Coordinates of all heavy atoms in Angstrom, one line a residue:
N172 N -3.4 16.8 -29.1 CA -2.2 16.0 -28.9 C -1.1 16.4 -29.8 O -1.4 16.8 -30.9 CB -2.5 14.5 -29.2 CG -3.6 13.9 -28.2 OD1 -3.4 14.1 -27.0 ND2 -4.6 13.3 -28.7
A173 N 0.1 16.4 -29.3 CA 1.3 16.9 -30.1 C 1.6 15.9 -31.2 O 2.1 16.4 -32.3 CB 2.5 17.2 -29.2
T174 N 1.5 14.6 -31.0 CA 1.9 13.6 -31.9 C 0.9 12.5 -32.1 O -0.1 12.4 -31.4 CB 3.3 13.0 -31.4 OG1 3.0 12.3 -30.2 CG2 4.3 14.1 -31.2
M175 N 1.2 11.7 -33.1 CA 0.4 10.5 -33.3 C 1.4 9.4 -33.7 O 2.5 9.7 -34.2 CB -0.6 10.6 -34.4 CG -0.1 10.9 -35.8 SD -1.5 10.8 -37.0 CE -2.4 12.3 -36.6
P176 N 1.0 8.1 -33.7 CA 2.0 7.0 -34.0 C 2.4 7.2 -35.5 O 1.6 7.5 -36.4 CB 1.1 5.7 -33.9 CG 0.1 6.1 -32.8 CD -0.2 7.6 -33.1
V177 N 3.7 6.9 -35.7 CA 4.3 7.1 -37.1 C 3.5 6.2 -38.1 O 3.5 6.5 -39.3 CB 5.8 6.8 -37.1 CG1 6.0 5.3 -36.8 CG2 6.4 7.3 -38.3
F178 N 3.0 5.1 -37.7 CA 2.2 4.2 -38.6 C 1.1 5.0 -39.2 O 0.8 4.7 -40.4 CB 1.7 3.0 -37.8 CG 0.6 2.2 -38.6 CD1 1.0 1.3 -39.6 CD2 -0.7 2.3 -38.3 CE1 0.1 0.6 -40.3 CE2 -1.7 1.6 -39.0 CZ -1.3 0.8 -40.1
N179 N 0.5 5.9 -38.5 CA -0.6 6.7 -39.1 C -0.2 7.5 -40.3 O -1.0 7.7 -41.2 CB -1.2 7.6 -38.0 CG -2.0 6.8 -36.9 OD1 -1.9 5.6 -36.9 ND2 -2.7 7.6 -36.1
L180 N 1.1 7.9 -40.3 CA 1.6 8.7 -41.4 C 1.5 7.9 -42.7 O 1.0 8.3 -43.7 CB 3.0 9.1 -41.2 CG 3.7 9.8 -42.3 CD1 3.1 11.2 -42.6 CD2 5.2 10.0 -42.0
F181 N 1.9 6.6 -42.6 CA 1.9 5.8 -43.8 C 0.5 5.3 -44.2 O 0.1 5.3 -45.4 CB 2.8 4.5 -43.6 CG 4.2 4.9 -43.3 CD1 4.7 4.9 -42.0 CD2 5.0 5.2 -44.4 CE1 6.0 5.2 -41.8 CE2 6.4 5.5 -44.2 CZ 6.9 5.5 -42.9
R182 N -0.4 5.0 -43.2 CA -1.7 4.7 -43.4 C -2.5 5.8 -44.1 O -3.2 5.6 -45.1 CB -2.4 4.2 -42.1 CG -3.8 3.7 -42.3 CD -4.5 3.7 -41.0 NE -4.6 5.0 -40.3 CZ -5.0 5.2 -39.1 NH1 -5.3 4.2 -38.3 NH2 -5.1 6.5 -38.6
N183 N -2.4 7.0 -43.5 CA -3.2 8.1 -44.0 C -2.7 8.6 -45.3 O -3.6 8.9 -46.2 CB -3.1 9.3 -43.0 CG -3.8 9.0 -41.7 OD1 -4.2 7.9 -41.4 ND2 -3.9 10.0 -40.8
C184 N -1.4 8.6 -45.5 CA -0.9 9.0 -46.8 C -1.3 8.0 -47.9 O -1.6 8.4 -49.0 CB 0.6 9.1 -46.8 SG 1.2 10.6 -45.9
G185 N -1.3 6.7 -47.6 CA -1.7 5.7 -48.5 C -3.1 5.9 -49.0 O -3.5 5.7 -50.1
Y186 N -4.0 6.2 -48.0 CA -5.4 6.4 -48.3 C -5.6 7.6 -49.2 O -6.2 7.5 -50.3 CB -6.2 6.6 -47.0 CG -7.6 7.1 -47.1 CD1 -8.6 6.2 -47.6 CD2 -7.9 8.4 -46.8 CE1 -9.9 6.7 -47.7 CE2 -9.3 8.8 -46.9 CZ -10.2 8.0 -47.4 OH -11.5 8.4 -47.5
Y187 N -5.1 8.8 -48.8 CA -5.3 10.0 -49.5 C -4.6 10.0 -50.9 O -5.1 10.4 -51.9 CB -4.9 11.2 -48.7 CG -5.8 11.6 -47.6 CD1 -5.6 11.3 -46.3 CD2 -7.0 12.3 -47.9 CE1 -6.5 11.7 -45.3 CE2 -7.9 12.7 -46.9 CZ -7.7 12.3 -45.6 OH -8.6 12.7 -44.6
W188 N -3.3 9.6 -50.9 CA -2.6 9.6 -52.1 C -3.1 8.6 -53.1 O -3.2 8.9 -54.3 CB -1.1 9.4 -51.8 CG -0.4 10.4 -51.0 CD1 -0.9 11.3 -50.1 CD2 1.0 10.5 -50.8 NE1 0.0 12.0 -49.5 CE2 1.3 11.6 -49.9 CE3 2.1 9.9 -51.4 CZ2 2.5 12.0 -49.5 CZ3 3.4 10.3 -51.1 CH2 3.6 11.4 -50.1
G189 N -3.4 7.4 -52.6 CA -3.9 6.4 -53.5 C -5.2 6.8 -54.2 O -5.3 6.7 -55.4
F190 N -6.2 7.2 -53.4 CA -7.5 7.6 -54.0 C -7.3 8.8 -54.9 O -8.0 8.9 -55.9 CB -8.5 7.9 -52.9 CG -9.2 6.7 -52.5 CD1 -9.0 6.1 -51.2 CD2 -10.2 6.1 -53.3 CE1 -9.7 4.9 -50.9 CE2 -10.9 4.9 -53.0 CZ -10.6 4.3 -51.7
A191 N -6.5 9.8 -54.5 CA -6.3 11.0 -55.4 C -5.8 10.6 -56.8 O -6.2 11.1 -57.8 CB -5.4 12.0 -54.7
S192 N -4.9 9.6 -56.8 CA -4.3 9.1 -58.1 C -5.4 8.5 -58.9 O -5.5 8.7 -60.1 CB -3.1 8.2 -57.8 OG -2.1 8.8 -57.1
F193 N -6.2 7.6 -58.3 CA -7.2 6.8 -59.0 C -8.3 7.8 -59.5 O -8.8 7.7 -60.7 CB -7.8 5.7 -58.2 CG -6.9 4.5 -58.2 CD1 -6.3 4.1 -57.0 CD2 -6.7 3.7 -59.3 CE1 -5.5 2.9 -56.9 CE2 -5.9 2.6 -59.3 CZ -5.3 2.2 -58.1
I194 N -8.7 8.7 -58.6 CA -9.8 9.7 -59.0 C -9.3 10.5 -60.2 O -10.0 10.7 -61.2 CB -10.1 10.6 -57.8 CG1 -10.9 9.8 -56.7 CG2 -11.0 11.7 -58.3 CD1 -11.1 10.5 -55.4
S195 N -8.1 11.0 -60.1 CA -7.5 11.8 -61.2 C -7.4 11.0 -62.5 O -7.7 11.5 -63.6 CB -6.2 12.4 -60.8 OG -5.7 13.3 -61.8
Y196 N -6.9 9.8 -62.4 CA -6.7 9.0 -63.6 C -8.0 8.8 -64.4 O -8.0 9.0 -65.6 CB -6.2 7.6 -63.2 CG -6.1 6.6 -64.4 CD1 -5.0 6.6 -65.2 CD2 -7.1 5.7 -64.6 CE1 -4.9 5.8 -66.3 CE2 -7.1 4.8 -65.7 CZ -6.0 4.9 -66.5 OH -5.9 4.0 -67.6
F197 N -9.1 8.5 -63.7 CA -10.3 8.3 -64.4 C -11.0 9.6 -64.9 O -11.6 9.6 -65.9 CB -11.3 7.5 -63.6 CG -10.8 6.0 -63.4 CD1 -10.4 5.5 -62.2 CD2 -10.9 5.2 -64.5 CE1 -9.9 4.2 -62.1 CE2 -10.5 3.8 -64.4 CZ -10.0 3.4 -63.2
I198 N -10.9 10.6 -64.1 CA -11.6 11.9 -64.4 C -10.9 12.5 -65.6 O -11.5 13.1 -66.5 CB -11.6 12.9 -63.3 CG1 -12.7 12.4 -62.2 CG2 -12.0 14.3 -63.7 CD1 -12.8 13.3 -61.0
N199 N -9.5 12.5 -65.7 CA -8.8 13.1 -66.7 C -8.5 12.1 -67.9 O -7.8 12.5 -68.9 CB -7.4 13.6 -66.2 CG -7.6 14.7 -65.2 OD1 -8.2 15.8 -65.5 ND2 -7.2 14.5 -64.0
H200 N -9.1 11.0 -67.9 CA -8.9 10.0 -69.0 C -9.5 10.5 -70.3 O -10.5 11.2 -70.3 CB -9.7 8.7 -68.6 CG -9.3 7.5 -69.4 ND1 -9.8 7.3 -70.7 CD2 -8.5 6.4 -69.1 CE1 -9.3 6.2 -71.1 NE2 -8.5 5.6 -70.2
P201 N -8.8 10.2 -71.4 CA -9.3 10.7 -72.7 C -10.7 10.3 -73.0 O -11.4 11.0 -73.8 CB -8.3 10.1 -73.7 CG -7.1 9.9 -72.9 CD -7.5 9.5 -71.5
D202 N -11.2 9.2 -72.5 CA -12.5 8.7 -72.8 C -13.6 9.1 -71.8 O -14.7 8.6 -71.8 CB -12.5 7.1 -72.9 CG -11.7 6.7 -74.1 OD1 -11.6 7.4 -75.1 OD2 -11.1 5.6 -74.0
Y203 N -13.2 10.0 -70.9 CA -14.1 10.4 -69.8 C -15.3 11.1 -70.4 O -15.2 12.0 -71.3 CB -13.4 11.4 -68.9 CG -14.3 12.1 -67.9 CD1 -14.7 11.4 -66.8 CD2 -14.7 13.4 -68.1 CE1 -15.6 12.1 -65.8 CE2 -15.5 14.1 -67.1 CZ -15.9 13.4 -66.0 OH -16.8 14.0 -65.1
T204 N -16.5 10.8 -70.0 CA -17.7 11.4 -70.4 C -18.3 12.2 -69.3 O -18.7 11.7 -68.3 CB -18.7 10.3 -70.9 OG1 -18.1 9.5 -71.9 CG2 -20.0 10.9 -71.4
P205 N -18.4 13.5 -69.5 CA -19.0 14.4 -68.4 C -20.5 14.2 -68.3 O -21.2 13.8 -69.2 CB -18.6 15.8 -68.9 CG -18.5 15.7 -70.4 CD -18.0 14.3 -70.7
V206 N -21.0 14.6 -67.1 CA -22.4 14.7 -66.9 C -23.0 15.9 -67.6 O -22.3 16.7 -68.1 CB -22.7 14.7 -65.4 CG1 -22.2 13.5 -64.7 CG2 -22.2 16.0 -64.7
G207 N -24.3 16.0 -67.5 CA -25.0 17.2 -68.1 C -24.6 18.5 -67.4 O -24.2 18.4 -66.2
E208 N -24.7 19.6 -68.0 CA -24.3 20.9 -67.4 C -25.0 21.2 -66.1 O -24.4 21.7 -65.2 CB -24.5 22.0 -68.5 CG -24.0 23.4 -67.9 CD -24.1 24.5 -69.0 OE1 -24.6 24.2 -70.1 OE2 -23.8 25.6 -68.6
T209 N -26.3 20.9 -66.1 CA -27.1 21.3 -64.9 C -26.6 20.4 -63.7 O -26.4 21.0 -62.6 CB -28.6 21.0 -65.1 OG1 -29.1 21.8 -66.2 CG2 -29.4 21.3 -63.9
Q210 N -26.4 19.1 -63.9 CA -25.9 18.3 -62.8 C -24.6 18.7 -62.4 O -24.3 18.7 -61.2 CB -25.9 16.8 -63.3 CG -25.4 15.8 -62.2 CD -25.5 14.4 -62.7 OE1 -26.3 14.0 -63.5 NE2 -24.6 13.6 -62.1
M211 N -23.7 19.0 -63.3 CA -22.4 19.5 -63.0 C -22.4 20.7 -62.1 O -21.7 20.8 -61.1 CB -21.6 19.7 -64.3 CG -20.1 20.2 -64.1 SD -19.3 20.8 -65.6 CE -20.2 22.3 -65.9
M212 N -23.2 21.7 -62.5 CA -23.2 23.0 -61.8 C -23.8 22.8 -60.4 O -23.3 23.4 -59.4 CB -24.0 24.0 -62.6 CG -23.3 24.4 -63.9 SD -21.6 24.8 -63.8 CE -21.7 26.3 -62.8
V213 N -24.8 22.0 -60.3 CA -25.5 21.7 -59.0 C -24.4 21.0 -58.1 O -24.3 21.4 -56.9 CB -26.7 20.9 -59.1 CG1 -27.2 20.4 -57.8 CG2 -27.8 21.7 -59.8
G214 N -23.7 20.0 -58.6 CA -22.8 19.3 -57.8 C -21.6 20.2 -57.4 O -21.3 20.2 -56.2
F215 N -21.1 20.9 -58.2 CA -20.0 21.8 -57.8 C -20.5 22.9 -56.9 O -19.7 23.4 -56.0 CB -19.2 22.4 -59.1 CG -18.3 21.4 -59.7 CD1 -18.3 21.2 -61.1 CD2 -17.3 20.8 -59.0 CE1 -17.5 20.3 -61.7 CE2 -16.4 19.9 -59.6 CZ -16.5 19.7 -60.9
G216 N -21.7 23.4 -57.1 CA -22.3 24.4 -56.2 C -22.4 23.8 -54.8 O -22.0 24.5 -53.8
I217 N -22.9 22.6 -54.6 CA -22.9 22.0 -53.3 C -21.5 21.8 -52.7 O -21.3 22.1 -51.5 CB -23.6 20.6 -53.4 CG1 -25.1 20.7 -53.8 CG2 -23.5 19.8 -52.1 CD1 -25.8 19.4 -54.1
S218 N -20.6 21.4 -53.6 CA -19.2 21.2 -53.1 C -18.6 22.5 -52.6 O -18.0 22.5 -51.5 CB -18.4 20.7 -54.2 OG -17.1 20.4 -53.8
A219 N -18.8 23.6 -53.3 CA -18.3 24.9 -52.9 C -18.9 25.4 -51.6 O -18.2 25.8 -50.7 CB -18.5 25.9 -54.0
L220 N -20.2 25.2 -51.5 CA -20.9 25.6 -50.3 C -20.5 24.9 -49.0 O -20.2 25.4 -48.0 CB -22.4 25.5 -50.5 CG -23.3 25.9 -49.3 CD1 -23.2 27.4 -49.1 CD2 -24.8 25.6 -49.6
M221 N -20.3 23.6 -49.2 CA -19.9 22.7 -48.1 C -18.4 22.9 -47.7 O -18.0 22.8 -46.6 CB -20.1 21.2 -48.5 CG -21.5 20.8 -48.6 SD -22.5 21.0 -47.0 CE -23.4 22.5 -47.4
Q222 N -17.6 23.3 -48.7 CA -16.2 23.6 -48.4 C -16.1 24.9 -47.5 O -15.4 24.9 -46.5 CB -15.4 23.9 -49.7 CG -15.0 22.6 -50.4 CD -13.6 22.7 -51.0 OE1 -12.6 23.1 -50.3 NE2 -13.5 22.3 -52.3
L223 N -17.0 25.9 -47.8 CA -17.0 27.1 -47.0 C -17.6 26.7 -45.6 O -17.1 27.3 -44.6 CB -17.9 28.1 -47.7 CG -17.3 28.7 -49.0 CD1 -18.4 29.7 -49.6 CD2 -16.0 29.5 -48.7
G224 N -18.6 25.8 -45.6 CA -19.1 25.4 -44.3 C -18.1 24.7 -43.4 O -18.0 24.9 -42.2
N225 N -17.3 23.9 -44.1 CA -16.2 23.2 -43.4 C -15.2 24.1 -42.8 O -14.7 24.0 -41.7 CB -15.6 22.1 -44.3 CG -14.5 21.3 -43.7 OD1 -13.3 21.6 -43.8 ND2 -14.9 20.3 -42.9
L226 N -14.8 25.1 -43.6 CA -13.9 26.1 -43.2 C -14.4 26.9 -42.0 O -13.7 27.1 -41.0 CB -13.6 27.1 -44.3 CG -12.7 28.3 -44.0 CD1 -11.3 27.9 -43.5 CD2 -12.6 29.3 -45.2
H227 N -15.7 27.3 -42.0 CA -16.3 28.0 -40.9 C -16.3 27.1 -39.6 O -16.0 27.6 -38.5 CB -17.8 28.3 -41.3 CG -18.5 28.9 -40.1 ND1 -19.3 28.2 -39.2 CD2 -18.6 30.2 -39.7 CE1 -19.8 29.0 -38.3 NE2 -19.5 30.2 -38.6
C228 N -16.5 25.8 -39.8 CA -16.5 24.9 -38.6 C -15.1 24.9 -38.0 O -15.0 24.9 -36.8 CB -16.9 23.5 -39.0 SG -18.7 23.3 -39.5
H229 N -14.1 24.8 -38.8 CA -12.7 24.7 -38.3 C -12.3 26.0 -37.6 O -11.6 25.9 -36.6 CB -11.8 24.3 -39.4 CG -11.9 22.9 -39.9 ND1 -11.5 22.5 -41.2 CD2 -12.5 21.8 -39.3 CE1 -11.7 21.2 -41.3 NE2 -12.3 20.8 -40.2
V230 N -12.7 27.1 -38.2 CA -12.3 28.4 -37.6 C -13.1 28.5 -36.2 O -12.5 29.0 -35.2 CB -12.7 29.6 -38.5 CG1 -12.6 30.9 -37.8 CG2 -11.9 29.6 -39.8
Y231 N -14.3 28.1 -36.2 CA -15.1 28.1 -34.9 C -14.5 27.2 -33.9 O -14.3 27.6 -32.7 CB -16.5 27.7 -35.2 CG -17.3 27.5 -33.9 CD1 -17.7 28.6 -33.1 CD2 -17.6 26.2 -33.4 CE1 -18.3 28.4 -31.9 CE2 -18.3 26.0 -32.2 CZ -18.6 27.1 -31.5 OH -19.3 26.9 -30.3
Q232 N -14.1 26.0 -34.3 CA -13.5 25.1 -33.3 C -12.2 25.6 -32.8 O -11.9 25.5 -31.6 CB -13.2 23.7 -34.0 CG -14.5 22.9 -34.2 CD -14.2 21.6 -35.0 OE1 -13.6 21.6 -36.1 NE2 -14.6 20.5 -34.4
A233 N -11.4 26.3 -33.7 CA -10.1 26.9 -33.2 C -10.4 28.0 -32.2 O -9.6 28.2 -31.3 CB -9.4 27.4 -34.4
S234 N -11.5 28.7 -32.4 CA -11.8 29.8 -31.4 C -12.1 29.3 -30.0 O -11.9 30.1 -29.1 CB -13.0 30.6 -32.0 OG -14.2 29.9 -31.8
L235 N -12.5 28.1 -29.9 CA -12.8 27.5 -28.6 C -11.5 27.3 -27.8 O -11.6 27.2 -26.6 CB -13.5 26.2 -28.8 CG -14.9 26.2 -29.4 CD1 -15.5 24.8 -29.5 CD2 -15.9 27.1 -28.6
R236 N -10.4 27.3 -28.5 CA -9.1 27.1 -27.8 C -8.2 28.3 -28.0 O -7.0 28.2 -28.0 CB -8.4 25.8 -28.3 CG -9.2 24.5 -27.9 CD -8.5 23.3 -28.4 NE -9.1 22.1 -27.8 CZ -8.8 20.9 -28.2 NH1 -7.9 20.7 -29.1 NH2 -9.4 19.8 -27.6
S237 N -8.8 29.4 -28.3 CA -8.0 30.6 -28.5 C -7.2 31.1 -27.3 O -6.2 31.8 -27.4 CB -8.9 31.8 -29.0 OG -9.9 32.1 -28.0
D238 N -7.6 30.6 -26.1 CA -6.9 30.9 -24.9 C -5.7 30.0 -24.6 O -5.1 30.1 -23.6 CB -7.9 30.9 -23.7 CG -8.5 29.5 -23.5 OD1 -8.3 28.6 -24.4 OD2 -9.3 29.3 -22.5
G239 N -5.5 29.0 -25.5 CA -4.4 28.1 -25.4 C -4.8 26.8 -24.6 O -3.9 25.9 -24.5
S240 N -6.0 26.8 -24.1 CA -6.4 25.6 -23.4 C -6.6 24.4 -24.3 O -7.0 24.5 -25.5 CB -7.7 25.9 -22.7 OG -8.3 24.7 -22.1
K241 N -6.3 23.2 -23.8 CA -6.5 22.0 -24.6 C -7.7 21.2 -24.0 O -7.9 20.0 -24.4 CB -5.2 21.1 -24.5 CG -4.1 21.8 -25.3 CD -2.9 20.8 -25.4 CE -1.7 21.5 -26.2 NZ -0.6 20.6 -26.4
A242 N -8.4 21.7 -23.0 CA -9.5 21.1 -22.4 C -10.7 21.0 -23.4 O -10.8 21.9 -24.3 CB -9.9 21.8 -21.1

Side-chain angles (χ1 to χ4, degrees):
N172 296 310
T174 63
M175 67 170 67
V177 70
F178 167 76
N179 290 10
L180 175 65
F181 299 101
R182 182 195 63 191
N183 293 8
C184 287
Y186 169 73
Y187 282 104
W188 296 19
F190 270 110
S192 299
F193 281 114
I194 290 171
S195 183
Y196 173 83
F197 288 109
I198 288 180
N199 294 300
H200 196 283
D202 294 331
Y203 172 77
T204 302
V206 300
E208 183 177 357
T209 300
Q210 180 177 334
M211 178 188 71
M212 297 308 295
V213 169
F215 282 130
I217 293 172
S218 183
L220 183 62
M221 292 298 104
Q222 284 218 50
L223 292 174
N225 181 260
L226 173 61
H227 175 268
C228 290
H229 288 160
V230 171
Y231 169 73
Q232 287 177 305
S234 72
L235 296 177
R236 292 180 173 175
S237 58
D238 59 355
S240 171
K241 293 186 178 181

